[in-house]
């Protein structure tokens, strides 16, 4: 499929991983508003929707399936198996098959476009790696899934030579059709055994799903509009200290002066920054209201000029330097 470069992250419509049904642990986004937003996004050109069984313990998938029932052949659904239940491991073959069958039922669909595997989740010594690959190849032969993707690790240790060698072995075993990684202006560019991720993907000619391109709202000024700043605990369980929020607020000032302080304008810059890194990148952005989701598609149509991109790139670089100095680098992907 040739798809719109902006995809929809569907974690918010499921709530926290421990939430079920109408549980109070789910976010403030109401089901009717979520369905409305998803339908409006399709009309704006949205084609990639990312979900997982753990998001609200199936609620995200069920809601997504309802909203896209009449547009299934026009969209690409990516999903993950994270719920373990009583199985010895989430990727143990019987459980993996069961969870993917449950996902098909939740989504009310006959196939899955992309099943994403977590590169760090194949058990001790990667003991479930080979069985996982065999299971997915069988499901693919039966046309229950169309493609296999791999979510790359982030955080401390990814640059370790041993970790890089292991990741190469996993890539060779899985042979992914799609790669996914957490990346935004506040994080270092992800790599594979020392090679830039986007360069690697370009060599392989495969798309990259960019997760958390807005740094969980930090790059839109969502949590740090004006000083004085107080610590914030987000609905997804993330903690932002006052010092971190102050660093981000100050760092965004050059962009506010040039582009305005509207959060939507800052969101456009963050999304366009990620998309500008690779011509086959797809940025997955979540949403808290249907209006916000539709607005993302209105704004993203306008590309950045070379000069504007350079300004955004330099601003984010300075922010990363300051965050490193105060010991909070990579705050969006912890």
């Amino acid at each position: 499929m040739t798809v719109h470069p902006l995809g929809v992250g569907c974690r918010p419509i499921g709530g926290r991983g421990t939430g079920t049904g109408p549980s109070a642990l789910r976010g403030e986004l109401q089901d009717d508003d979520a369905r409305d937003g998803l339908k409006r996004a399709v009309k704006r050109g949205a084609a990639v929707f990312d979900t997982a069984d753990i998001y609200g313990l199936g609620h995200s998938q069920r809601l997504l399936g309802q909203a896209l029932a009449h547009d299934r052949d026009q969209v690409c659904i990516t999903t993950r198996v994270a719920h373990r239940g009583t199985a010895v491991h989430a990727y143990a073959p019987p459980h993996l098959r069961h969870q993917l069958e449950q996902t098909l039922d939740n989504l009310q669909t006959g196939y899955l476009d992309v099943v994403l595997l977590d590169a760090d989740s194949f058990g001790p010594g990667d003991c479930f790696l080979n069985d996982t690959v065999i299971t997915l190849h069988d499901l693919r032969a039966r046309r229950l899934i169309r493609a296999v993707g791999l979510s790359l690790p982030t955080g401390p240790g990814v640059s370790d030579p041993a970790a890089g060698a292991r990741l190469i072995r996993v890539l060779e075993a899985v042979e992914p059709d799609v790669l996914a990684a957490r990346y935004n202006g506040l994080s270092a560019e992800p790599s594979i055994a020392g090679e830039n991720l986007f360069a690697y993907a370009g060599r392989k000619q495969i798309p990259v799903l960019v997760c958390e391109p807005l740094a969980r709202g930090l790059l839109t000024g969502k949590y740090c509009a004006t000083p004085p700043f107080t610590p914030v605990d987000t609905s997804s369980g993330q903690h932002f200290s006052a010092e971190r929020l102050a660093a981000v607020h100050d760092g965004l000032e050059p962009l506010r002066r040039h582009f305005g302080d509207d959060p939507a304008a800052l969101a456009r810059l963050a999304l366009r920054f990620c998309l500008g890194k690779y011509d086959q990148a797809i940025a997955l952005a979540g949403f808290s209201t249907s209006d916000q989701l539709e607005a993302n598609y209105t704004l993203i149509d306008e590309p950045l000029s070379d000069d504007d991109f350079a300004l955004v790139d330099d601003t984010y670089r300075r922010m990363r330097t300051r965050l490193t100095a105060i010991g909070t680098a990579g705050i969006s992907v912890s």
Side-chain angles (χ1 to χ4, degrees):
M1 296 176 65
T2 299
V3 299
H4 195 288
L6 180 60
V8 181
C10 296
R11 178 168 185 162
I13 70 176
R16 294 187 180 185
T18 54
T20 59
S23 167
L25 287 176
R26 287 186 37 229
E28 296 180 358
L29 182 63
Q30 299 300 307
D31 289 353
D32 288 344
D33 193 30
R35 275 188 287 265
D36 177 59
L38 293 168
K39 292 176 182 178
R40 288 161 67 180
V42 171
K43 291 180 180 178
R44 288 286 185 177
V48 177
F49 296 81
D50 181 65
T51 185
D53 60 1
I54 200 68
Y55 298 165
L57 296 183
H59 187 78
S60 172
Q61 294 177 341
R62 288 187 286 271
L63 196 59
L64 183 63
Q66 295 167 20
L68 301 183
H70 299 295
D71 301 291
R72 181 64 185 95
D73 60 345
Q74 301 176 42
V75 300
C76 173
I77 297 176
T78 70
T79 191
R80 308 152 195 261
V81 171
H83 183 55
R84 172 178 165 180
T86 60
V88 65
H89 190 275
Y91 292 168
H95 181 75
L96 181 59
R97 289 178 182 274
H98 168 74
Q99 282 302 107
L100 289 176
E101 289 171 359
Q102 184 63 60
T103 290
L104 290 168
D105 184 67
N106 289 343
L107 289 165
Q108 291 297 294
T109 185
Y111 65 93
L112 301 171
D113 296 284
V114 182
V115 172
L116 285 167
L117 303 172
D118 188 336
D120 278 349
S121 296
F122 293 107
D126 294 327
C127 60
F128 290 101
L129 176 58
N130 290 336
D131 285 344
T132 299
V133 171
I134 292 171
T135 299
L136 292 182
H137 282 181
D138 175 60
L139 293 173
R140 190 170 184 173
R142 293 164 52 195
R143 303 186 67 80
L144 295 177
I145 63 176
R146 293 186 169 181
V148 177
L150 194 67
S151 290
L152 302 181
T154 57
V158 296
S159 59
D160 178 74
R166 176 199 165 269
L167 181 56
I168 292 296
R169 291 195 298 271
V170 171
L171 285 162
E172 291 174 347
V174 175
E175 297 182 307
D177 307 287
V178 181
L179 293 173
R182 294 176 178 177
Y183 175 63
N184 53 65
L186 298 184
S187 59
E189 289 193 12
S191 62
I192 296 176
E195 181 179 9
N196 178 278
L197 165 62
F198 302 116
Y200 177 92
R203 284 199 298 108
K204 299 290 185 178
Q205 280 300 291
I206 55 179
V208 174
L209 301 176
V210 180
C211 309
E212 300 183 11
L214 302 179
R216 300 186 183 182
L218 280 174
L219 288 175
T220 71
K222 176 179 179 180
Y223 303 109
C224 48
T226 57
F229 304 107
T230 57
V232 170
D233 292 302
T234 72
S235 60
S236 62
Q238 185 74 24
H239 176 77
F240 299 135
S241 69
E243 188 177 19
R244 295 176 178 183
L245 294 175
V248 173
H249 177 270
D250 294 344
L252 287 173
E253 186 57 28
L255 301 185
R256 291 194 187 93
R257 289 198 302 267
H258 190 77
F259 299 99
D261 59 3
D262 183 354
L266 295 176
R268 168 182 167 255
L269 301 178
L271 293 171
R272 273 293 169 190
F273 171 79
C274 291
L275 296 176
K277 293 293 181 176
Y278 181 46
D279 61 4
Q280 292 192 62
I282 299 169
L284 298 175
F287 63 105
S288 56
T289 69
S290 59
D291 289 340
Q292 178 195 11
L293 179 55
E294 186 172 26
N296 285 342
Y297 282 87
T298 302
L299 292 167
I300 201 67
D301 289 336
E302 184 181 353
L304 295 176
S305 68
D306 290 344
D307 288 343
D308 285 348
F309 187 91
L311 173 61
V312 174
D313 193 12
D314 182 65
T315 300
Y316 288 166
R317 179 184 59 78
R318 292 174 183 272
M319 292 169 68
R320 291 194 301 272
T321 300
R322 179 173 176 184
L323 291 169
T324 298
I326 62 176
T328 56
I331 57 178
S332 64
V333 296
S334 60

